[in-house]
Amino acid sequence: MAKRKRTLVSFFSFCLCLSLTTSGCGLQALLGNKNKTSSASTSKTSTIAVSLNDNDPNKLLITKGIDDLAKKEEVKVKYLGASGSGDDSALKGAKVLIYQAGNANLLKNAQTNKVPVLALSQVPAGINLAGVVTPDQEKTGELMAQALVSKVSEGQVVILQGDPSETGSQELLAGNKSVLSKYPKISLQTFASPSGSESTVKQSLTDYLQKNSGKVQAVLAHTAKLEEAASDALKQLQLAKKVLLIGGQATIPSLERMASGSQVSDVDTNPYLQGANAFQWAQKIINKEPLDISDSITSEQGEIPAKIIQVKTVTPENLAVIQKSYVKTMQSAEQDQKQQTAKAKPQSKSQGDSKTQGDSKSKGGDQQGSGGGDNQGQNSSNVPPGVKKVTETVKTETTREYLDGQGKVIGTEKTTNEQVKTVPPEMLQQEQKAQSSQSSSQGQGDQAAQEKVGSGGSGDSGG
């Protein structure tokens, strides 16, 4: 891959509108700008294909950024898993492909079928891109180095680099060195990590720390996986409090390490904002609108329009705010996924659960007894005559505790989810016949509970 450089042109006024800590306001700002220029009739009939990196610990946050805007714009988003097909059928109907990682055949077929490709985070080789959305990788490297020199001005420093063939990894390392080159008393040892070789790098780091006992002052780890590998190595050698660990990709686990004191700094790369901006640019590409270009990346394919996402250092001073934001956004994304799963669940149950009584009990367990503890499935009375549809309301409350490295609770979150589900009347009748043969005395216990059946639609409403 040819070496690429980034050309900065102007300030990032658009990026300032949105951050994880003010995602609601930022989302409105994005939508406001979007609504002025996009064609609603075009967007509502469009499909955006998305292929993300399954190994990115912030994948769900990126997805949340995409989905929040997609809901407002009523656009269909088709997620393509890394293990899925990369043939023409995967891109059927797609007007643009947002590509971070995944099946490389998707890129070839996108080119063949003239589906514009919008790169996310990295610039894939040999592909003509419509644009790229990426965190400011060089700035990330500079922030990591600045966090280091605020505490150390001499000694050995180990840099754990990501895949050296990737442009973003090259820029990160360049950012590190642009700052550290001003400190001649700091010597650098770099270990590169081609994709999937984190365990090898961990062993290399362990060996180097043992051979240079007491000399290494800090470890700079470019990616979340490398941060985790470095943290494990330092703990095994009992150096977690002696050697500084500085990361380049903040995640919930890395923020927890900072809270426990085993990591001193990280960089917030705004994964939610990456997803939101990728969606917006995809819409503009579909509608053939200008991309509000403020930056570009130079590659062998020429100058590529770039949306550079601002990054910021995570310090002990802003840790609590950023950590809370990541956790809440992740919880919201997880809740969205549960609701999507629940929407598809009633259809599959109505087809499959009525086959046998045993299946209806095992697969429909959350429909029986989980809504308020009334044991509706076990103590139900006869279904009234003329019933064509039965609905059940299931309400669940989840309490989640967040603990530091010592097991101390540092945060508690409660979420409530209420779902309305459709149950085939035939299934209830089968259950009642079986239950009455076991215990005829239990048939009258919850007559009131069955009075819910009758009118009313089905669907999901997330709390």
Side-chain angles (χ1 to χ4, degrees), residues 14-20 22-23 26-27 30 270 272-273 276-277:
F14 187 79
C15 292
L16 291 174
C17 295
L18 180 65
S19 70
L20 278 168
T22 58
S23 60
L27 182 56
L30 274 171
N270 263 319
Y272 178 93
L273 184 56
N277 275 275

Side-chain angles (χ1 to χ4, degrees), residues 43-201:
S43 64
K44 289 182 181 180
T45 59
S46 300
T47 297
I48 297 175
V50 180
S51 181
L52 300 178
N53 183 0
D54 288 338
N55 294 321
D56 187 338
N58 289 329
K59 175 185 174 182
L60 206 54
L61 299 179
I62 295 173
T63 301
K64 177 68 173 170
I66 294 173
D67 289 346
D68 279 357
L69 281 176
K71 289 176 185 176
K72 298 293 183 181
E73 295 291 320
E74 299 182 24
V75 173
K76 180 181 178 181
V77 178
K78 182 180 181 181
Y79 287 98
L80 307 173
S83 60
S85 171
D87 60 20
D88 290 351
S89 63
L91 295 176
K92 185 177 180 180
K95 301 297 184 182
V96 65
L97 169 64
I98 298 175
Y99 186 86
Q100 181 190 27
N103 193 324
N105 288 330
L106 288 172
L107 294 172
K108 297 178 182 178
N109 286 301
Q111 293 284 86
T112 302
N113 295 290
K114 297 182 179 180
V115 177
V117 177
L118 177 65
L120 181 62
S121 302
Q122 296 292 340
V123 178
I127 299 295
N128 291 318
L129 299 174
V132 56
V133 177
T134 178
D136 193 333
Q137 304 281 23
E138 188 171 341
K139 185 64 176 179
T140 297
E142 292 173 359
L143 293 178
M144 293 173 69
Q146 289 167 3
L148 168 67
V149 297
S150 68
K151 299 180 179 297
V152 172
S153 59
E154 60 182 54
Q156 294 183 11
V157 173
V158 176
I159 296 177
L160 301 185
Q161 183 188 11
D163 191 336
S165 67
E166 294 180 345
T167 306
S169 178
Q170 296 166 13
E171 291 187 339
L172 260 169
L173 185 60
N176 290 158
K177 291 183 176 181
S178 68
V179 174
L180 298 180
S181 62
K182 302 173 184 177
Y183 294 82
K185 293 184 178 181
I186 292 179
S187 61
L188 301 178
Q189 173 64 49
T190 302
F191 294 106
S193 173
S195 181
S197 64
E198 288 81 8
S199 60
T200 302
V201 172

Side-chain angles (χ1 to χ4, degrees), residues 9 51 105 116 125-127 134 141 180 213 272 297 312 319 344 401 413:
V9 179
S51 181
N105 288 330
I127 299 295
T134 178
L180 298 180
S213 179
Y272 178 93
I297 290 179
K312 58 178 175 288
L319 171 62
E401 293 183 338
E413 295 283 348

